Structures are given as structure tokens and as C-alpha cells.
Amino acid sequence: MASRKARLVLTSLAVVLGTMFVAAAMVLTATMEKSVSGVIADAYTGVDAVVTPETTGGFDQPANAAAQNIPAETVEAIRAVDSVERADGAVEGQVNAIGDNGKLVGTFAPTIGLNWESGEGQNDYLTMREGRGPEADDEVAVSAKFAADSGYGVGDTVTVYSYTADRTDFEIVGVYGLSGDRDSLAGETQVAFTTPAAQQMMTGGEDVYTSVYVYGDEVSTEAVADAIGSDFKVQTGEQASEEAAQGFAAVSDFMGYIFLGFGLVAVFVSIFLIINTFTIIVAQRQRELALLRAIGAGRGQVVRSVLTEAVVIGVIASILGLGLGLLLGWGLSEIVSSTMMGGLPVTLLIPATTLWALAVGIGVTVLSALVPAVKASGVPPVAAMRQAVNPPKPLRGITIAGAIVFAAGGVLMALGLTDNLGGEELTGILTGVGIAFVGVTMLTPILSRPLVALLGAVMSWSFSGRLGKLNAGRNPRRTAITASALMIAVALITGIATLVSSIKATTSEVLDLNLNSDLIVSGAQGGANIPSFSPQTLEEIRALPEVESVGDVYMDFFGTRVDGQDAMLASSEDLESALEVFGGTVAEGSVADLAPDTVVVDEGTAEDRGVALGDTVEVTFADGQTEELEITAILEGYDLTNGWWVAPEQIEHFTLPKPMQAYISVEEGADVEAVQEEVDEILADEPEVSVTNNAQFVEQQTSGLDTILAAVQILLALAMIIAVIGVVNTLVLSVLERTRELGLLRAVGMTRGQVRRMITVESVIICVFGAVLGIAVGIGLGWTVQQALEDEGLSSFALPWGLIAIYLVAAVIVGLLAAIAPAARAAKLNVLGAIAYE
């Protein structure tokens, strides 16, 4: 190792990167959980018990969509408990506020509204930085982050509205910070109202609260629960703190899982690099190892010698990777805190599980070197007396094994796709994909011969190119294992990109087949905000002279149930127009007169629930209202918003009693673009939504997928980096292996430029081979998953042709970059020294 420092560095780098990401993921998750728990604990300091409404069950709901609130009488009952010294009613929930730029404040993290109570012990965790707290119902105080994000300060007027309250203007009379001199608790912005204004804004009522904070040295949660009944949940301050911390920690957990996943991908890719490196090293040291065997070294000694190198490399690289991972984890925690949690103070925590990253790095390195070590021990002593020649081994064995493995994966996928796995089709398909992927990797050597010959034909127009093509194909195993690292990265990202393209194509196809509208008013989901607009805006759109009809849609899925099961409810002021827009028809019954005691359902949902025309179902709304409704119509050919449709009179029970979408059909011959401009003007005061045509609507609704794809591409660049290192390592070692050959070529007249071009062509062919194979595997992966999800609605398969072209170009660039150092080394070889090598 001491005499081969460059080789040591190149081999170690792959282990360093893999270990670094695994360690960083663990540190990020533990640090953010610790930091969030500390902040939440501060917010509950001194609180002995917390009383909240019991939720209705079903889907998670926003705070202000709870089916129950806490009446003032209940607060008084809590105060009457002997062990209670003080009980403060709190009103908290999500609101929407419009900043000075006309857009919503806090679209990723929500804007939280709360009540401000002046008095001893009230708002202890808030510190006024400027101005004062609100005293009149048209006044508010805002958090420092809200002031920064909105562009407003003391004396300005801000417009605020919510699910239950229309737009109202408030004067900002104060700016406050949170305990610990923070601008925000976890990235949210805050607006504090007087208690009556908060109740109206967030509960739509009077003398009700969303929670109660109870204080007392000997508060008994059992006594409080007995005093108020079973409709409310009573927790200790510590329990409430832990529950709240779990919700906030979900973000850090998600980020941690992402980095852990890509760290494991990096480790997996590193395996190929390490195996290849040690295989080449053993091959180059054949005479040296044979000489050791000739003078008495046993096979066990040779194995231990090679494994000792692996252990040393693994330990050094893993320790270095662990150290860098700790720094990366801390840095990522700071980034997550500043960008997603409003400058949350970071408390660095290094969990004991981080040592697993060390074990993974060392274990992977040693296991990867085991097969080359055993091969090294088999070098016969007689090899020390002759020139080392390492002809490529036959590919029959690995080809047969790879074909069997690939066939097994294919059979499992076929059984899943034909619904023959007893309800475990998706699991079987994904397992089959993994097995087939291993099979393809094993078949890579046999595939390299025709593909390298084909790819090399494009570049073999010169003498150097022809030699580069021959060099790339002379050792199929080495070429295959070098290209496999790149293949894995390209296959993963191509598979994900194919799924994203298929989702977009499916969305577009569903709209084209089912949607009979020209324009759509809607908004992309942004964090916790549910895009909506006012009913008055809807009437203004209907009043436009060139608008033929408008199909409006109200939806609710927060705590709504039908016959005790989670269900999505929908409504429309004109269901007949909505159905016409959506391309649906009435299979049974009628929707002409949808009464408050009736409900309409699509045929798919009716079949799943086992109900029919004329049946009665129990519908529970988000506000806790429960009604018996009769099914008066069954819809068919309706794929856009399957579910239950209730009468417009029931909209008042929805979490959000505002339209979420509107589908506009214009008069025949009207200028659609002109109508779109008119609607856009009407929506000038509706920052949550915009008007789009069908193609723009698809882009709007799938914009989040593009963001995810971009993030995945950036993270998978790590595997690409390791793949580049693998190509560099292979070429450098290959140059050393071919020292005499290169010397002879130079002696018979090959120029340095020709040598560089030969190595470059070899590098580019290997990289493009890996990319082509990865693209093919990725397309197969994407197609298989799309087929598996076809019954779930993913009906269209589409390829990301633009990205595929980019990946191929990137492979060429990677090949050019990877060849720089090996080509320069080969070109600088001393001719006489090279001929006399060994």
C-alpha cells in the first residue's frame, strides 16, 4: 500500500463517500429530533396538563378542522377542579395571510393563528420586540418571521382569512419573538388576534377554544378527565410535548431516510469499485504472489495479506468517512433548520447507531476483497518463473447463472402482473424487479461484447479509436464491473424519471378523455395550504359573456366518513354542469334535484362499499355532524374525482366551505385566450389559485414531481461520482498492467496524442456502455412498476426522452473526464523504461 499511494486513495474514496452519507443521515435524523424536542419542551414549560378535543378519526386534519371545539363552560369546569390553579383557553389554527407582494405568506410551512391574552402568566413563551399585543378585534401582533416574510411591520394593514372566515383587514400593532430569541418555532409564521377575533377566524364561533393549558402543582389528569367527560383528551404537559415533537420531527425523519437510502446506494456502487480494484491488483501482482508461494508462503498467508490491505483501507476510509459524515450531518441540520424550520436552534446529537456506518464501510471493503483474496491464494508458484499473462476467464458459468437469476425475477414479475400471487402482486413484482436487476448485472459481461463492439464502431474511425475499442472489449468482466457502477445510478434515475413521465401522461390522458372544459381555476398544493377561492369570485366568472358554463367543485377529506369508513365528500352548486364538464353520466337515478337528505356516488365506490340505488348511508362531516342520506343516483364514466356527492346545503359542514376548483367551458367560437385573460383579472385578489388551460393544469398539478425528480438527480450524482472514480481507477490500473504494451506501441511510432485518444475512447465506450445498459434497465424498471400500478390508475406509460438524451451526453462527458488522468499517465511513459518493465 505504501508503494501504491494513488491506488490507495482511489479505492478509499469510494468507501469514504458511502460511509459519509450513511453517517450523515443518522446524525441529521437524531439532531433534528433532539432540536425539535427541545423547542417543543420549551413551549410546554410549566404546563401541567393539556386538554384538546378528541378527533373524529379518519384522515389527519388541520387544527381548525376539528369536529369539536372546547366550549367556555368546559374551561370553567376545568378551573373548578380542586388541583387546578389556572386554566387558559387557547385558540389555534391555520390562517392565510396576503403579503405586500399580493401572494400568500408561508406557502411551505403554514401561517398559524392564535389568541393573545394579556395578563400574568399569559403568552410567557412570546417576547414583544416592537409595539404591543392586540387589544381591539381589528388589531394583530405578528411573529418576527411573519414580518420578514410578508414585508409588513408595525402600523401596516394585513389581510387575513381562513377556512371559516372571509377576508378581513387587521392593523399590525406589534412584532414578537419566541422563547430562545427565535423568529419561529419550526418554520411557521404566526398571527396573534384578540380572543374573540381568533375564535371567529379559526372556529367560526364564539366562546369556544381549541385547547386548554392547565397549571397546578398537583394537577390530576384523571380528575380533569372526570370533570369534562370523554369527548376530550387530557394529557400531561410532557405527553403533549412528545406528541407535538413527533409531528415536527417527521420532516427530519423524511430527510434522514432519503440520505440513508442514497448512502446505501453509494455503498452498493462502491462494492463494484472495490471488487474491481482488488481483482486488478491481484492480477498485476501475480508474479509477486507466486514468488511468495515459491519461498514457502501458504495460501492462508496470501489471503490474510490481501484481506489485511482491505481491512486497513476499510478502517482508514470509514473513519474518515465517519468524520466527514458528522460534519455533513451537522451542516444538513443547519440547512434544514434555516430553510424549513425557521432558524430552529440546532442541538448536535451523535447517536450510537452512527457506528453502524463504520461497520458498513469496513464490512463492505473486506467482503468485496474476499473473492480476489481467495483467487490470489490460488496463484501457483510456477507462475513466478514466467511472464504473467491473465487471459480472460470463460463467461459460460456467470452467463448461465445470470440467465437463471434473471428468469426467476421475470417469472415472479409475470406472476404478479397476471394477478397470480394471492393478493401480494405488488410485493411480488417489486421483488421480481430486484432479482431481475441482479440477473442483469450478472449478464453484463456477456452483454458487453456486442454492445462494446457496436458502440466502438462509432468511434473506431481512426487507428487510436480502433485500439481503444479493442481495449474496452478485451476483458469483458472488467469492462462490465466498471460499467455496472454507472449502470446502477443511471438505471435508478431513469426508472424514477419514467414513472414521473408516466404519471404526467396519465394525468393528461384522463383530462383529455374526461374533461370537457377549456379553462381550469385551481392551485397547486403548497405545504399545508389547501388552494381555494371565494364563491363570489365564482359568480363573477359565470357572469362573463363568453362563458357558457362553470362546473364548480367543493371537496372535503378531513375526518369525513361514510358508514364509519374514511371517504371523500364533494359538492357542487350545479352538479349537472359539473358532470357534463367531467364527462360523467348518470347510470341510475337522477341528479336534477339533489336534496339535503340525498347523496350521489360513482359506480366504482358503490361496488366497493356494497351499496345500491335507494340505500341509506350514514355520512359524518368534518364538523362532527352526522346524517342519514339516501343514494338517489349512481354515476358512471367518472374518473376524475370519485367519491360521494352531497347537496350544496351541506357545504357549510365542510372543513373548507369554499370552491377548490372551477372548470370553465366557453361559448363556441369564443377566444379562449381572451377569456383566460379576463378570468385572470378576476383572480387578481385570489393568490391561492390561477386559471390555466388543460396542458398548463397538468404541469401545475405535477410540478411537485419535477421537484422530487430534481432532488433525486442531485443525490444520485453521488453514485455517478463513485462511478467516475471506478472508471479512473480501472483505467489507471489498466495502464500499469499494459506498461510494456504501451511502450511497444510508442516504440513503433504511436504518438502521445494517439495514446491519449486511445485511452479516451476506451473510457468513453465503457461509460456509454454503462449508461445505455442503465437506461434500458431503468426503462424496464419504470414499465414494470407502471404496469403494477395500472389498476391503481397509472394507465399510461411514457418515456422521458429529453432526460434520456441528457444522460447519454452526460455519459460521454463522464468518459472524457475520467480519461484525463489515465491518458496523461499513459502518454508520459518513458519508452525504454516501459519496454524494460519487469
Side-chain angles (χ1 to χ4, degrees):
M1 287 188 293
S3 62
R4 301 176 178 88
K5 297 180 179 62
R7 182 186 301 167
L8 175 66
V9 171
L10 287 171
T11 306
S12 302
L13 194 53
V15 184
V16 168
L17 290 173
T19 307
M20 178 180 71
F21 266 71
V22 173
M26 295 177 176
V27 171
L28 170 66
T29 302
T31 295
M32 294 310 301
E33 287 182 355
K34 176 69 174 178
S35 302
V36 169
S37 297
V39 169
I40 298 297
D42 289 345
Y44 285 91
T45 299
V47 178
D48 298 292
V50 178
V51 180
T52 54
E54 283 285 2
T55 60
T56 61
F59 299 110
D60 291 337
Q61 348 178 27
N64 51 0
Q68 311 147 8
N69 289 305
I70 303 176
E73 308 88 75
T74 302
V75 180
E76 293 301 324
I78 295 172
R79 289 171 180 160
V81 176
D82 291 338
S83 58
V84 173
E85 297 176 5
R86 194 177 98 227
D88 297 336
V91 184
E92 297 175 341
Q94 181 180 320
V95 297
N96 291 322
I98 302 175
D100 66 349
N101 59 358
K103 297 181 180 179
L104 287 180
V105 179
T107 53
F108 181 80
T111 297
I112 300 298
L114 56 117
N115 64 316
W116 181 281
E117 289 285 354
S118 57
E120 184 178 356
Q122 301 286 342
N123 310 117
D124 286 341
Y125 66 100
L126 305 180
T127 303
M128 190 59 65
R129 296 183 182 178
E130 183 182 357
R132 58 176 175 81
E135 297 174 355
D137 291 347
D138 61 351
E139 295 178 342
V140 294
V142 298
S143 65
K145 180 168 175 56
F146 182 94
D149 290 358
S150 67
Y152 288 138
V154 174
D156 291 329
T157 299
V158 61
T159 300
V160 184
Y161 60 101
S162 69
Y163 295 146
T164 55
D166 293 330
R167 297 186 182 197
T168 308
D169 291 336
F170 295 89
E171 179 187 357
I172 298 176
V173 296
V175 177
Y176 61 84
L178 286 80
S179 60
D181 197 32
R182 296 189 297 272
D183 293 346
S184 172
L185 183 65
E188 85 292 346
T189 54
Q190 296 184 7
V191 180
F193 308 85
T194 61
T195 296
Q199 290 170 334
Q200 184 62 41
M201 181 63 64
M202 288 168 284
T203 70
E206 299 177 356
D207 293 331
V208 292
Y209 301 88
T210 58
S211 58
V212 180
Y213 297 99
V214 184
Y215 302 84
D217 293 336
E218 298 180 358
V219 170
S220 167
T221 55
E222 292 81 5
V224 173
D226 290 340
I228 60 178
S230 60
D231 290 338
F232 306 97
K233 181 168 61 177
V234 182
Q235 297 174 290
T236 64
E238 292 79 5
Q239 291 171 335
S241 174
E242 291 175 4
E243 185 177 282
Q246 289 175 358
F248 282 112
V251 175
S252 60
D253 287 345
F254 178 70
M255 297 290 292
Y257 292 143
I258 289 176
F259 279 94
L260 180 60
F262 284 99
L264 294 177
V265 169
V267 169
F268 184 59
V269 173
S270 301
I271 291 174
F272 290 90
L273 193 159
I274 298 167
I275 290 175
N276 211 22
T277 300
F278 275 95
T279 300
I280 297 173
I281 289 173
V282 168
Q284 291 179 347
R285 292 167 55 190
Q286 181 170 304
R287 293 188 66 190
E288 173 188 325
L289 295 171
L291 185 59
L292 288 174
R293 295 276 286 116
I295 62 176
R299 296 190 64 171
Q301 288 178 305
V302 173
V303 171
R304 289 193 293 275
S305 171
V306 177
L307 289 182
T308 299
E309 285 191 50
V311 170
V312 173
I313 291 174
V315 170
I316 294 174
S318 297
I319 291 175
L320 183 58
L322 180 62
L324 292 175
L326 298 181
L327 291 175
L328 178 60
W330 173 77
L332 290 172
S333 300
E334 292 285 354
I335 292 172
V336 172
S337 169
S338 61
T339 59
M340 303 175 70
M341 292 191 170
L344 175 76
V346 173
T347 304
L348 182 63
L349 178 63
I350 302 174
T353 53
T354 308
L355 294 177
W356 278 107
L358 202 63
V360 168
I362 297 173
V364 163
T365 307
V366 174
L367 290 175
S368 300
L370 184 59
V371 174
V374 173
K375 289 182 178 179
S377 69
V379 176
V382 72
M385 296 181 290
R386 57 180 172 82
Q387 182 67 40
V389 177
N390 300 290
K393 293 184 178 181
L395 301 178
R396 180 180 301 172
I398 193 171
T399 300
I400 293 174
I404 293 173
V405 172
F406 180 78
V411 168
L412 196 55
M413 287 188 290
L415 290 174
L417 292 172
T418 54
D419 299 329
N420 288 307
L421 289 178
E424 298 295 329
E425 281 74 19
L426 184 58
T427 302
I429 289 171
L430 295 178
T431 303
V433 166
I435 295 173
F437 187 81
V438 173
V440 170
T441 305
M442 297 173 69
L443 290 172
T444 306
I446 197 68
L447 294 174
S448 69
R449 285 179 170 172
L451 285 177
V452 166
L454 181 62
L455 295 171
V458 180
M459 306 178 192
S460 58
W461 48 270
S462 67
F463 173 71
S464 300
R466 288 194 295 274
L467 286 179
K469 180 188 76 171
L470 292 173
N471 286 334
R474 70 197 296 179
N475 193 327
R477 288 176 181 265
R478 182 181 301 175
T479 298
I481 203 168
T482 304
S484 292
L486 187 62
M487 178 195 75
I488 293 169
V490 174
L492 288 174
I493 188 60
T494 302
I496 294 172
T498 300
L499 279 178
V500 170
S501 297
S502 298
I503 292 172
K504 288 185 174 182
T506 299
T507 305
S508 180
E509 180 182 348
V510 169
L511 288 176
D512 290 341
L513 292 176
N514 296 277
L515 196 60
N516 300 319
S517 68
D518 300 296
L519 298 171
I520 304 169
V521 176
S522 64
Q525 180 73 34
N529 291 310
I530 300 176
S532 63
F533 53 100
S534 70
Q536 291 76 19
T537 299
L538 194 62
E539 294 307 317
E540 291 183 48
I541 296 173
R542 284 196 171 105
L544 292 175
E546 294 181 308
V547 169
E548 180 180 356
S549 65
V550 178
D552 57 291
V553 178
Y554 296 74
M555 288 186 287
D556 199 3
F557 37 80
F558 289 122
T560 54
R561 293 174 293 173
V562 174
D563 286 340
Q565 298 183 48
D566 294 336
M568 187 189 74
L569 300 182
S571 186
S572 175
E573 295 176 5
D574 186 355
L575 183 54
E576 287 184 295
S577 294
L579 288 178
E580 183 179 347
V581 168
F582 294 137
T585 58
V586 180
E588 299 178 69
S590 171
V591 298
D593 298 309
L594 191 59
D597 60 348
T598 62
V599 66
V600 174
V601 63
D602 68 278
E603 59 183 356
T605 304
E607 183 178 348
D608 291 340
R609 297 294 182 94
V611 295
L613 188 70
D615 289 349
T616 299
V617 294
E618 183 182 76
V619 178
T620 302
F621 295 93
D623 63 354
Q625 180 78 18
T626 299
E627 296 188 14
E628 298 286 338
L629 305 181
E630 180 187 352
I631 299 175
T632 57
I634 304 290
L635 308 177
E636 66 177 353
Y638 187 76
D639 298 324
L640 287 176
T641 313
N642 291 334
W644 305 82
W645 288 77
V646 295
E649 290 83 357
Q650 305 286 15
I651 292 174
E652 64 181 18
H653 300 303
F654 281 23
T655 300
L656 182 58
K658 298 179 181 179
M660 293 183 182
Q661 294 174 338
Y663 298 84
I664 305 169
S665 297
V666 302
E667 298 283 355
E668 187 176 352
D671 187 341
V672 176
E673 291 185 4
V675 175
Q676 184 173 359
E677 291 177 1
E678 292 179 313
V679 175
D680 198 42
E681 292 178 6
I682 294 174
L683 297 175
D685 294 328
E686 298 283 3
E688 298 178 57
V689 296
S690 60
V691 58
T692 62
N693 56 37
N694 288 0
Q696 293 168 336
F697 178 71
V698 173
E699 289 298 320
Q700 181 191 69
Q701 299 301 309
T702 58
S703 59
L705 295 174
D706 293 330
T707 302
I708 294 173
L709 181 60
V712 170
Q713 286 176 315
I714 293 172
L715 290 172
L716 279 173
L718 168 69
M720 299 278 288
I721 293 172
I722 297 177
V724 171
I725 295 171
V727 176
V728 172
N729 212 8
T730 298
L731 291 177
V732 167
L733 296 174
S734 180
V735 167
L736 290 174
E737 188 178 56
R738 305 201 311 255
T739 298
R740 292 191 68 190
E741 175 186 317
L742 291 170
L744 287 172
L745 288 172
R746 292 278 287 114
V748 297
M750 194 174 194
T751 66
R752 291 184 174 181
Q754 288 176 314
V755 171
R756 281 192 290 267
R757 287 193 291 274
M758 178 183 68
I759 300 297
T760 300
V761 167
E762 182 179 354
S763 175
V764 171
I765 288 176
I766 292 174
C767 290
V768 173
F769 166 60
V772 168
L773 200 57
I775 288 170
V777 172
I779 291 174
L781 173 66
W783 178 83
T784 304
V785 176
Q786 180 269 323
Q787 290 292 307
L789 298 175
E790 188 170 21
D791 291 339
E792 305 299 324
L794 190 58
S795 58
S796 296
F797 176 73
L799 292 176
W801 291 110
L803 288 176
I804 289 175
I806 291 174
Y807 300 152
L808 288 174
V809 173
V812 174
I813 296 173
V814 165
L816 294 174
L817 294 175
I820 293 175
R825 184 185 183 97
K828 290 179 181 179
L829 284 175
N830 180 277
V831 177
L832 294 178
I835 294 174
Y837 185 67
E838 292 189 342

